[in-house]
Each structure stands twice: as C-alpha cells, then as structure tokens.
Amino acid sequence: SQKIEQNSEALNIQEGKTATLTCNYTNYSPAYLQWYRQDPGRGPVFLLLIRENEKEKRKERLKVTFDTTLKQSLFHITASQPADSATYLCALETGANNLFFGTGTRLTVIP
Amino acid sequence: DTGVSQDPRHKITKRGQNVTFRCDPISEHNRLYWYRQTLGQGPEFLTYFQNEAQLEKSRLLSDRFSAERPKGSFSTLEIQRTEQGDSAMYLCASSSSPVEQFFGPGTRLTVL
C-alpha cells in the first residue's frame, strides 16, 4: 500500500527565509501530486498540483518540484511571512477516485 | 458563500448513539468525497460519489457507517452505534474533475 512521509511534524523558520518541506512516498507511482494548506479547525485548501512529467511548478511565492526517480516532492515558500504559518499536506492520486494524504508538516514563521 | 458547507460544525454524542452529518457541495460539482481526520494525521479517504452513485468505499468504512447522495446533490454520512474511536473531524470535499478537491470546514465529532 502507499506510504507518504513528510519531513518533520513541525518546522520553524524566520520571516523572510525560504521554507522547504519534503514529501517522500513509496510503493506507488502517482500520475500527479498535490499540496494543500490546512489552518487549525478548517478543511484543507488546494495550493498546487504537479504531474509526473513536470519537474517544477510555480505559483507566486510557492514552488513545487517532483522527482519520480527519488519518489520525492519538495515544496518551497520563498520570502516567508507569519501568515504562511499553517500545516501543509502532501497528497497523491491513487489511481482510484480519491487522494492519499501525508500527515502534514506544521510550519511556523517567526516574525 | 458558494463553497462546500457542512452541518453541524460540532457534534457531541454519547457512545452508542447514532449521528448524521450533512454536506452541501459546490453546486456544479458532480464528485463528492468524505474523509476522516484525527489529530496530527492527514485526511483519510472514506467514500466517493459521482453524482448519486457511490463508486468507492474505504475499508475504514465499517458496517456502522453509511453514506448517501440522493439526487446527486447534498450528501449525508451516518454513523450508527458510535464508539469513542469514531471521534474525529469528518471532512467533505467536492470537485468537477479528479484533481483539486474543494473541502468544507468539517464536522468535529466527539463521542463520550
């Protein structure tokens, strides 16, 4: 069965720095991978999708990379702000009609 | 607000009682999903509807759980004979394609 590991449960960085979050997966080759943001007490919000034939995708201060050989995706937030503090979830498409989520990384940006 | 809505937002019940949650998806979305999320974990898939047809069910969905989506619009998730292990956030999501799911705010269930 699929397994996803997101680098650490919690990551603290200083405002203005680049946050890098890691998503490693095993036992599957997804056609695409998604990143979601989740604030406490709320549902996840879609951020970015990257397909298996794409190396990199950008959206404003966000960048996602996808290495299907390493089975790894990296999620970067540049010029981080306290408002970026949240839990970030990596999700794989499973070939069925649902997503398989990682446990998330809780990011705190310190002013 | 045209997003996904869920009702109630919070539910406290005693063990053994039945509970029912409602999800209203974004109106033009034909796909509807239910997930369960416990503290410190990511959402876990429970079931999927395309229009009114329930096409996928996780093995997490025991016989005590049932979901419906009559007429392909809103959906309900019922848990019978609740157990303390059922305490979690129940999330509903909808989409018009296999990618990018739009999540509701969730229903937090506490079973005493």
Side-chain angles (χ1 to χ4, degrees):
Chain A
S1 61
Q2 307 98 332
K3 183 178 178 183
I4 297 179
E5 287 184 356
Q6 294 195 237
N7 55 330
S8 53
E9 281 191 21
L11 179 65
N12 297 333
I13 64 165
Q14 208 67 37
E15 182 177 3
K17 301 292 186 184
T18 296
T20 298
L21 284 63
T22 304
C23 174
N24 294 294
Y25 59 92
T26 57
N27 300 333
Y28 194 63
S29 296
Y32 55 84
L33 183 149
Q34 303 185 31
W35 284 89
Y36 285 76
R37 168 182 173 144
Q38 187 171 27
D39 291 285
R42 305 179 78 110
V45 174
F46 172 81
L47 296 175
L48 280 169
L49 176 149
I50 187 164
R51 300 184 186 278
E52 61 179 340
N53 60 348
E54 297 175 316
K55 295 294 185 188
E56 182 178 297
K57 187 73 82 66
R58 291 176 186 260
K59 178 182 176 183
E60 297 172 351
R61 294 183 296 111
L62 308 180
K63 184 178 86 171
V64 173
T65 62
F66 194 10
D67 188 325
T68 55
T69 302
L70 291 179
K71 293 188 181 293
Q72 180 182 80
S73 175
L74 299 179
F75 177 80
H76 306 273
I77 306 175
T78 58
S80 60
Q81 304 166 0
D84 296 325
S85 298
T87 295
Y88 292 86
L89 298 160
C90 164
L92 306 181
E93 66 80 29
T94 64
N97 295 295
N98 63 79
L99 293 173
F100 183 75
F101 283 87
T103 55
T105 297
R106 187 173 66 252
L107 174 68
T108 301
V109 180
I110 302 164
Chain B
D1 189 344
T2 56
V4 178
S5 61
Q6 293 188 244
D7 184 68
R9 294 292 309 276
H10 303 274
K11 178 71 178 178
I12 300 173
T13 191
K14 292 183 180 178
R15 189 176 49 177
Q17 298 295 304
N18 299 343
V19 294
T20 300
F21 310 140
R22 177 180 171 121
C23 170
D24 286 273
I26 293 171
S27 58
E28 60 267 29
H29 287 177
N30 61 342
R31 297 166 182 255
L32 187 146
Y33 312 80
W34 284 98
Y35 291 84
R36 181 178 73 185
Q37 186 174 26
T38 53
L39 201 61
Q41 301 297 314
E44 296 174 290
F45 170 75
L46 292 178
T47 190
Y48 159 70
F49 289 85
Q50 186 159 337
N51 299 310
E52 67 275 8
Q54 188 174 18
L55 298 183
E56 297 276 348
K57 284 199 289 187
S58 162
R59 60 178 181 272
L60 289 176
L61 214 67
S62 75
D63 291 346
R64 297 184 297 106
F65 287 70
S66 63
E68 295 182 342
R69 193 184 182 196
K71 302 178 185 177
S73 56
F74 72 92
S75 175
T76 58
L77 178 69
E78 181 184 14
I79 310 174
Q80 296 182 328
R81 305 181 303 281
T82 52
E83 301 173 356
Q84 288 184 323
D86 297 330
S87 294
M89 175 78 87
Y90 289 84
L91 293 162
C92 175
S94 70
S95 70
S96 56
S97 74
V99 301
E100 188 179 355
Q101 297 181 16
F102 293 81
F103 283 82
T107 294
R108 179 163 298 284
L109 172 67
T110 302
V111 181
L112 301 175

